[in-house]
Amino acid sequence: MTEIIFFFAVLVPGGATIIPEECSAENNSVTIAWQQHSQSYVEGHILEIDDGNNGPFRVVYCGKETICTIDGLHFHSMYNARVKSFNSTGEGPYSDCIALQTAEVAWFMLDVTDAHPDLVFTNDNQTATCNSYDDRVVLGNIGFSKGVHYWEVVIDRYDNHPDPAFGIARFDVTKDAMLGKDDKGWSMYIDSKRSWFIHNNQHSERSEGGVGVGAVVGVLLDLDRHTLSFFVNDEPHGPVAFADLHGVYYPAISLNRNVTMTLHTGLDPPSDAEGSESSGISAAQ
């Protein structure tokens, strides 16, 4: 009896299809969903996005799943995404692109997962106080590397003239000292009468005017101009604080048990922000 063996050629997959109604953008993250070609043998998929500025595509996912969320993108940017399937024979064609817009302004909260244990959080992690008389640092849960970002902190309780600090930090900033004591924090610290800028334990630009209960401190991080500026009660406070800022920065505050503060995000910059930044006053380095 003669045995007959059939051989079947495995073809490269047909084109995958992105499913627009299952794709979304939230804050600085995008989620992309797709389906493989129904008549193709598929071993996996390759998802690519561009740089948010019509630049080159890069691979952000390779695997068997058909949905992927990409975090840590730039705000206020339009990202294009495409996907292709592959098997042992080769790669199929790219899908049509989908364009997804990240949020224009950032909504974020205090990052309790990496905060100092002396800190106490309420109000959906928007309000913070402290159990220690020493300063403790907490970061926001989103980092920025591009664009203009503004947020405010309201002083809810202010006892015994503490000097809370407001500003930005690298993710590995020291958490058990005032923000700005090391080289990974940039801040303005302020008491009931005056304020200073501080970075790497270098103090500069004393300015008159302090805070109390109900005061609102605004932080303007302009990574298009690479500067950091501050506001108190909607008015510019001091000159541009810091310049030549490059890389990824997280919103940050430091406080002790004498103060309670609430964070407000998703805000547009003050109307006179441009004037304060272009005043020509030198910034602290």
Side-chain angles (χ1 to χ4, degrees), residues 186-223:
W186 295 255
S187 81
M188 175 187 74
Y189 67 97
I190 187 168
D191 60 21
S192 60
K193 296 182 179 180
R194 61 192 68 84
S195 68
W196 292 263
F197 302 145
I198 180 172
H199 168 63
N200 200 20
N201 207 26
Q202 299 296 310
H203 307 248
S204 63
E205 296 293 348
R206 169 175 160 166
S207 296
E208 296 302 315
V211 295
V213 174
V216 179
V217 177
V219 183
L220 178 64
L221 176 61
D222 187 339
L223 290 172

PDB file of all heavy atoms in Angstrom, residues 186-223:
ATOM      1  N   TRP A 186      13.896  70.314  42.576  1.00  0.00           N
ATOM      2  CA  TRP A 186      13.904  71.751  42.304  1.00  0.00           C
ATOM      3  C   TRP A 186      12.628  72.318  42.916  1.00  0.00           C
ATOM      4  O   TRP A 186      11.524  71.873  42.575  1.00  0.00           O
ATOM      5  CB  TRP A 186      13.903  72.034  40.803  1.00  0.00           C
ATOM      6  CG  TRP A 186      15.114  71.602  40.049  1.00  0.00           C
ATOM      7  CD1 TRP A 186      16.117  72.396  39.574  1.00  0.00           C
ATOM      8  CD2 TRP A 186      15.456  70.258  39.631  1.00  0.00           C
ATOM      9  NE1 TRP A 186      17.052  71.654  38.897  1.00  0.00           N
ATOM     10  CE2 TRP A 186      16.673  70.329  38.918  1.00  0.00           C
ATOM     11  CE3 TRP A 186      14.848  69.008  39.786  1.00  0.00           C
ATOM     12  CZ2 TRP A 186      17.291  69.214  38.376  1.00  0.00           C
ATOM     13  CZ3 TRP A 186      15.461  67.891  39.253  1.00  0.00           C
ATOM     14  CH2 TRP A 186      16.673  67.998  38.559  1.00  0.00           C
ATOM     15  N   SER A 187      12.735  73.290  43.814  1.00  0.00           N
ATOM     16  CA  SER A 187      11.513  73.735  44.488  1.00  0.00           C
ATOM     17  C   SER A 187      11.592  75.190  44.934  1.00  0.00           C
ATOM     18  O   SER A 187      12.652  75.823  44.948  1.00  0.00           O
ATOM     19  CB  SER A 187      11.229  72.847  45.704  1.00  0.00           C
ATOM     20  OG  SER A 187      12.007  73.236  46.824  1.00  0.00           O
ATOM     21  N   MET A 188      10.414  75.668  45.312  1.00  0.00           N
ATOM     22  CA  MET A 188      10.279  76.896  46.092  1.00  0.00           C
ATOM     23  C   MET A 188       9.742  76.492  47.450  1.00  0.00           C
ATOM     24  O   MET A 188       8.712  75.833  47.543  1.00  0.00           O
ATOM     25  CB  MET A 188       9.294  77.856  45.428  1.00  0.00           C
ATOM     26  CG  MET A 188       9.018  79.113  46.262  1.00  0.00           C
ATOM     27  SD  MET A 188       7.712  80.173  45.577  1.00  0.00           S
ATOM     28  CE  MET A 188       6.239  79.207  45.970  1.00  0.00           C
ATOM     29  N   TYR A 189      10.470  76.870  48.532  1.00  0.00           N
ATOM     30  CA  TYR A 189       9.906  76.659  49.858  1.00  0.00           C
ATOM     31  C   TYR A 189       9.495  78.009  50.411  1.00  0.00           C
ATOM     32  O   TYR A 189      10.140  79.036  50.173  1.00  0.00           O
ATOM     33  CB  TYR A 189      10.869  75.909  50.773  1.00  0.00           C
ATOM     34  CG  TYR A 189      12.130  76.620  51.186  1.00  0.00           C
ATOM     35  CD1 TYR A 189      12.220  77.285  52.406  1.00  0.00           C
ATOM     36  CD2 TYR A 189      13.271  76.574  50.379  1.00  0.00           C
ATOM     37  CE1 TYR A 189      13.395  77.920  52.801  1.00  0.00           C
ATOM     38  CE2 TYR A 189      14.448  77.206  50.767  1.00  0.00           C
ATOM     39  CZ  TYR A 189      14.501  77.878  51.973  1.00  0.00           C
ATOM     40  OH  TYR A 189      15.659  78.489  52.361  1.00  0.00           O
ATOM     41  N   ILE A 190       8.381  78.003  51.152  1.00  0.00           N
ATOM     42  CA  ILE A 190       7.741  79.264  51.529  1.00  0.00           C
ATOM     43  C   ILE A 190       7.139  79.143  52.920  1.00  0.00           C
ATOM     44  O   ILE A 190       6.564  78.110  53.270  1.00  0.00           O
ATOM     45  CB  ILE A 190       6.670  79.628  50.470  1.00  0.00           C
ATOM     46  CG1 ILE A 190       6.089  81.014  50.725  1.00  0.00           C
ATOM     47  CG2 ILE A 190       5.591  78.569  50.367  1.00  0.00           C
ATOM     48  CD1 ILE A 190       5.248  81.540  49.551  1.00  0.00           C
ATOM     49  N   ASP A 191       7.314  80.205  53.724  1.00  0.00           N
ATOM     50  CA  ASP A 191       6.681  80.243  55.038  1.00  0.00           C
ATOM     51  C   ASP A 191       5.609  81.330  55.032  1.00  0.00           C
ATOM     52  O   ASP A 191       5.105  81.707  53.967  1.00  0.00           O
ATOM     53  CB  ASP A 191       7.722  80.432  56.149  1.00  0.00           C
ATOM     54  CG  ASP A 191       8.522  81.720  56.024  1.00  0.00           C
ATOM     55  OD1 ASP A 191       8.043  82.655  55.344  1.00  0.00           O
ATOM     56  OD2 ASP A 191       9.620  81.796  56.607  1.00  0.00           O
ATOM     57  N   SER A 192       5.280  81.858  56.174  1.00  0.00           N
ATOM     58  CA  SER A 192       4.190  82.827  56.255  1.00  0.00           C
ATOM     59  C   SER A 192       4.594  84.222  55.770  1.00  0.00           C
ATOM     60  O   SER A 192       3.728  85.082  55.603  1.00  0.00           O
ATOM     61  CB  SER A 192       3.672  82.923  57.692  1.00  0.00           C
ATOM     62  OG  SER A 192       4.716  83.339  58.567  1.00  0.00           O
ATOM     63  N   LYS A 193       5.894  84.449  55.516  1.00  0.00           N
ATOM     64  CA  LYS A 193       6.355  85.787  55.165  1.00  0.00           C
ATOM     65  C   LYS A 193       7.171  85.863  53.879  1.00  0.00           C
ATOM     66  O   LYS A 193       7.182  86.889  53.216  1.00  0.00           O
ATOM     67  CB  LYS A 193       7.186  86.371  56.316  1.00  0.00           C
ATOM     68  CG  LYS A 193       6.391  86.591  57.599  1.00  0.00           C
ATOM     69  CD  LYS A 193       7.273  87.206  58.678  1.00  0.00           C
ATOM     70  CE  LYS A 193       6.475  87.457  59.963  1.00  0.00           C
ATOM     71  NZ  LYS A 193       7.328  88.051  61.028  1.00  0.00           N
ATOM     72  N   ARG A 194       7.909  84.818  53.538  1.00  0.00           N
ATOM     73  CA  ARG A 194       8.842  84.925  52.421  1.00  0.00           C
ATOM     74  C   ARG A 194       9.115  83.538  51.839  1.00  0.00           C
ATOM     75  O   ARG A 194       8.711  82.525  52.395  1.00  0.00           O
ATOM     76  CB  ARG A 194      10.157  85.565  52.879  1.00  0.00           C
ATOM     77  CG  ARG A 194      10.877  84.769  53.945  1.00  0.00           C
ATOM     78  CD  ARG A 194      12.001  85.542  54.600  1.00  0.00           C
ATOM     79  NE  ARG A 194      11.501  86.644  55.386  1.00  0.00           N
ATOM     80  CZ  ARG A 194      11.080  86.519  56.653  1.00  0.00           C
ATOM     81  NH1 ARG A 194      11.106  85.332  57.255  1.00  0.00           N
ATOM     82  NH2 ARG A 194      10.652  87.551  57.319  1.00  0.00           N
ATOM     83  N   SER A 195       9.840  83.503  50.713  1.00  0.00           N
ATOM     84  CA  SER A 195      10.158  82.241  50.045  1.00  0.00           C
ATOM     85  C   SER A 195      11.570  82.277  49.481  1.00  0.00           C
ATOM     86  O   SER A 195      12.177  83.344  49.330  1.00  0.00           O
ATOM     87  CB  SER A 195       9.166  81.981  48.904  1.00  0.00           C
ATOM     88  OG  SER A 195       9.363  82.929  47.864  1.00  0.00           O
ATOM     89  N   TRP A 196      12.096  81.095  49.162  1.00  0.00           N
ATOM     90  CA  TRP A 196      13.382  80.923  48.483  1.00  0.00           C
ATOM     91  C   TRP A 196      13.237  79.795  47.479  1.00  0.00           C
ATOM     92  O   TRP A 196      12.388  78.908  47.617  1.00  0.00           O
ATOM     93  CB  TRP A 196      14.481  80.533  49.469  1.00  0.00           C
ATOM     94  CG  TRP A 196      14.891  81.569  50.450  1.00  0.00           C
ATOM     95  CD1 TRP A 196      15.951  82.428  50.385  1.00  0.00           C
ATOM     96  CD2 TRP A 196      14.243  81.865  51.712  1.00  0.00           C
ATOM     97  NE1 TRP A 196      16.006  83.227  51.495  1.00  0.00           N
ATOM     98  CE2 TRP A 196      14.980  82.904  52.331  1.00  0.00           C
ATOM     99  CE3 TRP A 196      13.126  81.346  52.374  1.00  0.00           C
ATOM    100  CZ2 TRP A 196      14.632  83.441  53.570  1.00  0.00           C
ATOM    101  CZ3 TRP A 196      12.763  81.874  53.601  1.00  0.00           C
ATOM    102  CH2 TRP A 196      13.513  82.909  54.191  1.00  0.00           C
ATOM    103  N   PHE A 197      14.101  79.816  46.475  1.00  0.00           N
ATOM    104  CA  PHE A 197      14.253  78.672  45.571  1.00  0.00           C
ATOM    105  C   PHE A 197      15.389  77.807  46.100  1.00  0.00           C
ATOM    106  O   PHE A 197      16.368  78.323  46.678  1.00  0.00           O
ATOM    107  CB  PHE A 197      14.577  79.134  44.155  1.00  0.00           C
ATOM    108  CG  PHE A 197      13.545  80.052  43.559  1.00  0.00           C
ATOM    109  CD1 PHE A 197      13.928  81.085  42.714  1.00  0.00           C
ATOM    110  CD2 PHE A 197      12.193  79.891  43.841  1.00  0.00           C
ATOM    111  CE1 PHE A 197      12.986  81.939  42.162  1.00  0.00           C
ATOM    112  CE2 PHE A 197      11.237  80.733  43.301  1.00  0.00           C
ATOM    113  CZ  PHE A 197      11.640  81.769  42.452  1.00  0.00           C
ATOM    114  N   ILE A 198      15.289  76.489  45.866  1.00  0.00           N
ATOM    115  CA  ILE A 198      16.337  75.594  46.343  1.00  0.00           C
ATOM    116  C   ILE A 198      16.510  74.420  45.383  1.00  0.00           C
ATOM    117  O   ILE A 198      15.535  73.818  44.921  1.00  0.00           O
ATOM    118  CB  ILE A 198      16.037  75.090  47.772  1.00  0.00           C
ATOM    119  CG1 ILE A 198      17.142  74.148  48.254  1.00  0.00           C
ATOM    120  CG2 ILE A 198      14.668  74.430  47.862  1.00  0.00           C
ATOM    121  CD1 ILE A 198      17.013  73.750  49.721  1.00  0.00           C
ATOM    122  N   HIS A 199      17.767  74.118  45.074  1.00  0.00           N
ATOM    123  CA  HIS A 199      18.153  72.938  44.294  1.00  0.00           C
ATOM    124  C   HIS A 199      19.544  72.527  44.732  1.00  0.00           C
ATOM    125  O   HIS A 199      20.437  73.367  44.853  1.00  0.00           O
ATOM    126  CB  HIS A 199      18.146  73.238  42.790  1.00  0.00           C
ATOM    127  CG  HIS A 199      18.807  72.175  41.967  1.00  0.00           C
ATOM    128  ND1 HIS A 199      18.332  70.874  41.913  1.00  0.00           N
ATOM    129  CD2 HIS A 199      19.910  72.206  41.166  1.00  0.00           C
ATOM    130  CE1 HIS A 199      19.111  70.160  41.115  1.00  0.00           C
ATOM    131  NE2 HIS A 199      20.075  70.948  40.653  1.00  0.00           N
ATOM    132  N   ASN A 200      19.722  71.255  45.011  1.00  0.00           N
ATOM    133  CA  ASN A 200      21.007  70.726  45.455  1.00  0.00           C
ATOM    134  C   ASN A 200      21.503  71.472  46.699  1.00  0.00           C
ATOM    135  O   ASN A 200      22.694  71.747  46.847  1.00  0.00           O
ATOM    136  CB  ASN A 200      22.035  70.798  44.324  1.00  0.00           C
ATOM    137  CG  ASN A 200      23.196  69.855  44.543  1.00  0.00           C
ATOM    138  OD1 ASN A 200      23.100  68.890  45.311  1.00  0.00           O
ATOM    139  ND2 ASN A 200      24.305  70.120  43.871  1.00  0.00           N
ATOM    140  N   ASN A 201      20.534  71.828  47.566  1.00  0.00           N
ATOM    141  CA  ASN A 201      20.787  72.528  48.830  1.00  0.00           C
ATOM    142  C   ASN A 201      21.380  73.922  48.629  1.00  0.00           C
ATOM    143  O   ASN A 201      21.945  74.505  49.564  1.00  0.00           O
ATOM    144  CB  ASN A 201      21.700  71.704  49.752  1.00  0.00           C
ATOM    145  CG  ASN A 201      21.470  72.023  51.213  1.00  0.00           C
ATOM    146  OD1 ASN A 201      20.386  72.452  51.606  1.00  0.00           O
ATOM    147  ND2 ASN A 201      22.493  71.832  52.038  1.00  0.00           N
ATOM    148  N   GLN A 202      21.232  74.468  47.437  1.00  0.00           N
ATOM    149  CA  GLN A 202      21.654  75.834  47.161  1.00  0.00           C
ATOM    150  C   GLN A 202      20.422  76.738  47.150  1.00  0.00           C
ATOM    151  O   GLN A 202      19.511  76.540  46.340  1.00  0.00           O
ATOM    152  CB  GLN A 202      22.387  75.923  45.821  1.00  0.00           C
ATOM    153  CG  GLN A 202      23.650  75.078  45.752  1.00  0.00           C
ATOM    154  CD  GLN A 202      24.708  75.547  46.748  1.00  0.00           C
ATOM    155  OE1 GLN A 202      25.039  76.739  46.809  1.00  0.00           O
ATOM    156  NE2 GLN A 202      25.242  74.611  47.525  1.00  0.00           N
ATOM    157  N   HIS A 203      20.390  77.732  48.041  1.00  0.00           N
ATOM    158  CA  HIS A 203      19.240  78.600  48.203  1.00  0.00           C
ATOM    159  C   HIS A 203      19.462  79.892  47.413  1.00  0.00           C
ATOM    160  O   HIS A 203      20.576  80.426  47.382  1.00  0.00           O
ATOM    161  CB  HIS A 203      19.030  78.940  49.679  1.00  0.00           C
ATOM    162  CG  HIS A 203      18.967  77.734  50.582  1.00  0.00           C
ATOM    163  ND1 HIS A 203      17.820  77.343  51.228  1.00  0.00           N
ATOM    164  CD2 HIS A 203      19.923  76.830  50.934  1.00  0.00           C
ATOM    165  CE1 HIS A 203      18.063  76.249  51.942  1.00  0.00           C
ATOM    166  NE2 HIS A 203      19.341  75.928  51.787  1.00  0.00           N
ATOM    167  N   SER A 204      18.386  80.411  46.810  1.00  0.00           N
ATOM    168  CA  SER A 204      18.532  81.628  46.005  1.00  0.00           C
ATOM    169  C   SER A 204      17.216  82.384  45.936  1.00  0.00           C
ATOM    170  O   SER A 204      16.153  81.847  46.250  1.00  0.00           O
ATOM    171  CB  SER A 204      18.993  81.273  44.576  1.00  0.00           C
ATOM    172  OG  SER A 204      18.014  80.483  43.917  1.00  0.00           O
ATOM    173  N   GLU A 205      17.303  83.655  45.515  1.00  0.00           N
ATOM    174  CA  GLU A 205      16.166  84.502  45.171  1.00  0.00           C
ATOM    175  C   GLU A 205      15.105  84.568  46.268  1.00  0.00           C
ATOM    176  O   GLU A 205      13.952  84.168  46.092  1.00  0.00           O
ATOM    177  CB  GLU A 205      15.515  84.009  43.870  1.00  0.00           C
ATOM    178  CG  GLU A 205      16.404  84.093  42.653  1.00  0.00           C
ATOM    179  CD  GLU A 205      16.721  85.519  42.237  1.00  0.00           C
ATOM    180  OE1 GLU A 205      16.068  86.449  42.757  1.00  0.00           O
ATOM    181  OE2 GLU A 205      17.629  85.694  41.409  1.00  0.00           O
ATOM    182  N   ARG A 206      15.499  85.101  47.428  1.00  0.00           N
ATOM    183  CA  ARG A 206      14.493  85.356  48.460  1.00  0.00           C
ATOM    184  C   ARG A 206      13.452  86.352  47.939  1.00  0.00           C
ATOM    185  O   ARG A 206      13.793  87.376  47.360  1.00  0.00           O
ATOM    186  CB  ARG A 206      15.165  85.917  49.711  1.00  0.00           C
ATOM    187  CG  ARG A 206      14.180  86.464  50.739  1.00  0.00           C
ATOM    188  CD  ARG A 206      14.880  86.889  52.000  1.00  0.00           C
ATOM    189  NE  ARG A 206      14.058  87.817  52.779  1.00  0.00           N
ATOM    190  CZ  ARG A 206      14.282  88.144  54.037  1.00  0.00           C
ATOM    191  NH1 ARG A 206      15.322  87.615  54.674  1.00  0.00           N
ATOM    192  NH2 ARG A 206      13.503  88.990  54.670  1.00  0.00           N
ATOM    193  N   SER A 207      12.176  86.011  48.154  1.00  0.00           N
ATOM    194  CA  SER A 207      11.073  86.880  47.731  1.00  0.00           C
ATOM    195  C   SER A 207      10.129  87.102  48.901  1.00  0.00           C
ATOM    196  O   SER A 207       9.834  86.166  49.654  1.00  0.00           O
ATOM    197  CB  SER A 207      10.297  86.254  46.564  1.00  0.00           C
ATOM    198  OG  SER A 207      11.108  86.134  45.418  1.00  0.00           O
ATOM    199  N   GLU A 208       9.671  88.323  49.055  1.00  0.00           N
ATOM    200  CA  GLU A 208       8.726  88.634  50.122  1.00  0.00           C
ATOM    201  C   GLU A 208       7.335  88.124  49.759  1.00  0.00           C
ATOM    202  O   GLU A 208       6.969  88.045  48.582  1.00  0.00           O
ATOM    203  CB  GLU A 208       8.688  90.140  50.369  1.00  0.00           C
ATOM    204  CG  GLU A 208      10.009  90.711  50.875  1.00  0.00           C
ATOM    205  CD  GLU A 208      10.468  90.050  52.170  1.00  0.00           C
ATOM    206  OE1 GLU A 208       9.625  89.870  53.082  1.00  0.00           O
ATOM    207  OE2 GLU A 208      11.673  89.725  52.271  1.00  0.00           O
ATOM    208  N   GLY A 209       6.548  87.815  50.792  1.00  0.00           N
ATOM    209  CA  GLY A 209       5.198  87.304  50.592  1.00  0.00           C
ATOM    210  C   GLY A 209       5.137  85.832  50.926  1.00  0.00           C
ATOM    211  O   GLY A 209       5.944  85.045  50.421  1.00  0.00           O
ATOM    212  N   GLY A 210       4.203  85.455  51.823  1.00  0.00           N
ATOM    213  CA  GLY A 210       4.126  84.072  52.264  1.00  0.00           C
ATOM    214  C   GLY A 210       2.754  83.467  52.043  1.00  0.00           C
ATOM    215  O   GLY A 210       1.954  83.961  51.244  1.00  0.00           O
ATOM    216  N   VAL A 211       2.493  82.388  52.788  1.00  0.00           N
ATOM    217  CA  VAL A 211       1.245  81.651  52.640  1.00  0.00           C
ATOM    218  C   VAL A 211       0.581  81.481  53.999  1.00  0.00           C
ATOM    219  O   VAL A 211       1.200  81.662  55.047  1.00  0.00           O
ATOM    220  CB  VAL A 211       1.482  80.266  52.002  1.00  0.00           C
ATOM    221  CG1 VAL A 211       1.998  80.400  50.581  1.00  0.00           C
ATOM    222  CG2 VAL A 211       2.443  79.426  52.851  1.00  0.00           C
ATOM    223  N   GLY A 212      -0.668  81.140  53.974  1.00  0.00           N
ATOM    224  CA  GLY A 212      -1.447  80.794  55.147  1.00  0.00           C
ATOM    225  C   GLY A 212      -2.583  79.902  54.715  1.00  0.00           C
ATOM    226  O   GLY A 212      -2.613  79.420  53.565  1.00  0.00           O
ATOM    227  N   VAL A 213      -3.531  79.668  55.598  1.00  0.00           N
ATOM    228  CA  VAL A 213      -4.674  78.821  55.254  1.00  0.00           C
ATOM    229  C   VAL A 213      -5.432  79.435  54.077  1.00  0.00           C
ATOM    230  O   VAL A 213      -5.737  80.633  54.068  1.00  0.00           O
ATOM    231  CB  VAL A 213      -5.605  78.657  56.464  1.00  0.00           C
ATOM    232  CG1 VAL A 213      -6.870  77.907  56.065  1.00  0.00           C
ATOM    233  CG2 VAL A 213      -4.885  77.920  57.581  1.00  0.00           C
ATOM    234  N   GLY A 214      -5.710  78.628  53.076  1.00  0.00           N
ATOM    235  CA  GLY A 214      -6.421  79.088  51.890  1.00  0.00           C
ATOM    236  C   GLY A 214      -5.532  79.575  50.770  1.00  0.00           C
ATOM    237  O   GLY A 214      -6.034  79.819  49.660  1.00  0.00           O
ATOM    238  N   ALA A 215      -4.243  79.743  51.020  1.00  0.00           N
ATOM    239  CA  ALA A 215      -3.335  80.194  49.960  1.00  0.00           C
ATOM    240  C   ALA A 215      -3.235  79.134  48.858  1.00  0.00           C
ATOM    241  O   ALA A 215      -3.349  77.935  49.111  1.00  0.00           O
ATOM    242  CB  ALA A 215      -1.957  80.492  50.532  1.00  0.00           C
ATOM    243  N   VAL A 216      -3.013  79.621  47.638  1.00  0.00           N
ATOM    244  CA  VAL A 216      -2.898  78.732  46.476  1.00  0.00           C
ATOM    245  C   VAL A 216      -1.523  78.938  45.840  1.00  0.00           C
ATOM    246  O   VAL A 216      -1.189  80.048  45.419  1.00  0.00           O
ATOM    247  CB  VAL A 216      -3.996  79.023  45.439  1.00  0.00           C
ATOM    248  CG1 VAL A 216      -3.841  78.095  44.234  1.00  0.00           C
ATOM    249  CG2 VAL A 216      -5.378  78.861  46.061  1.00  0.00           C
ATOM    250  N   VAL A 217      -0.740  77.870  45.793  1.00  0.00           N
ATOM    251  CA  VAL A 217       0.583  77.906  45.167  1.00  0.00           C
ATOM    252  C   VAL A 217       0.492  77.221  43.805  1.00  0.00           C
ATOM    253  O   VAL A 217       0.062  76.066  43.714  1.00  0.00           O
ATOM    254  CB  VAL A 217       1.636  77.207  46.041  1.00  0.00           C
ATOM    255  CG1 VAL A 217       2.989  77.187  45.324  1.00  0.00           C
ATOM    256  CG2 VAL A 217       1.757  77.904  47.387  1.00  0.00           C
ATOM    257  N   GLY A 218       0.855  77.942  42.744  1.00  0.00           N
ATOM    258  CA  GLY A 218       0.851  77.391  41.392  1.00  0.00           C
ATOM    259  C   GLY A 218       2.255  77.062  40.924  1.00  0.00           C
ATOM    260  O   GLY A 218       3.204  77.790  41.213  1.00  0.00           O
ATOM    261  N   VAL A 219       2.379  75.954  40.212  1.00  0.00           N
ATOM    262  CA  VAL A 219       3.669  75.506  39.672  1.00  0.00           C
ATOM    263  C   VAL A 219       3.527  75.402  38.155  1.00  0.00           C
ATOM    264  O   VAL A 219       2.652  74.688  37.649  1.00  0.00           O
ATOM    265  CB  VAL A 219       4.077  74.143  40.254  1.00  0.00           C
ATOM    266  CG1 VAL A 219       5.457  73.734  39.724  1.00  0.00           C
ATOM    267  CG2 VAL A 219       4.075  74.183  41.773  1.00  0.00           C
ATOM    268  N   LEU A 220       4.375  76.129  37.436  1.00  0.00           N
ATOM    269  CA  LEU A 220       4.354  76.137  35.975  1.00  0.00           C
ATOM    270  C   LEU A 220       5.652  75.517  35.454  1.00  0.00           C
ATOM    271  O   LEU A 220       6.724  76.108  35.576  1.00  0.00           O
ATOM    272  CB  LEU A 220       4.204  77.562  35.455  1.00  0.00           C
ATOM    273  CG  LEU A 220       4.215  77.715  33.930  1.00  0.00           C
ATOM    274  CD1 LEU A 220       3.028  77.008  33.292  1.00  0.00           C
ATOM    275  CD2 LEU A 220       4.224  79.192  33.536  1.00  0.00           C
ATOM    276  N   LEU A 221       5.531  74.340  34.874  1.00  0.00           N
ATOM    277  CA  LEU A 221       6.669  73.639  34.277  1.00  0.00           C
ATOM    278  C   LEU A 221       6.541  73.752  32.764  1.00  0.00           C
ATOM    279  O   LEU A 221       5.646  73.152  32.160  1.00  0.00           O
ATOM    280  CB  LEU A 221       6.676  72.168  34.710  1.00  0.00           C
ATOM    281  CG  LEU A 221       7.754  71.282  34.085  1.00  0.00           C
ATOM    282  CD1 LEU A 221       9.145  71.767  34.443  1.00  0.00           C
ATOM    283  CD2 LEU A 221       7.561  69.832  34.516  1.00  0.00           C
ATOM    284  N   ASP A 222       7.415  74.538  32.166  1.00  0.00           N
ATOM    285  CA  ASP A 222       7.387  74.772  30.722  1.00  0.00           C
ATOM    286  C   ASP A 222       8.581  74.059  30.090  1.00  0.00           C
ATOM    287  O   ASP A 222       9.699  74.590  30.068  1.00  0.00           O
ATOM    288  CB  ASP A 222       7.438  76.277  30.440  1.00  0.00           C
ATOM    289  CG  ASP A 222       7.236  76.595  28.960  1.00  0.00           C
ATOM    290  OD1 ASP A 222       7.447  75.695  28.122  1.00  0.00           O
ATOM    291  OD2 ASP A 222       6.884  77.740  28.647  1.00  0.00           O
ATOM    292  N   LEU A 223       8.331  72.870  29.586  1.00  0.00           N
ATOM    293  CA  LEU A 223       9.415  72.089  28.997  1.00  0.00           C
ATOM    294  C   LEU A 223       9.626  72.405  27.525  1.00  0.00           C
ATOM    295  O   LEU A 223      10.510  71.831  26.894  1.00  0.00           O
ATOM    296  CB  LEU A 223       9.151  70.589  29.203  1.00  0.00           C
ATOM    297  CG  LEU A 223       9.291  70.153  30.669  1.00  0.00           C
ATOM    298  CD1 LEU A 223       8.825  68.725  30.860  1.00  0.00           C
ATOM    299  CD2 LEU A 223      10.732  70.318  31.140  1.00  0.00           C
TER     300      LEU A 223
END
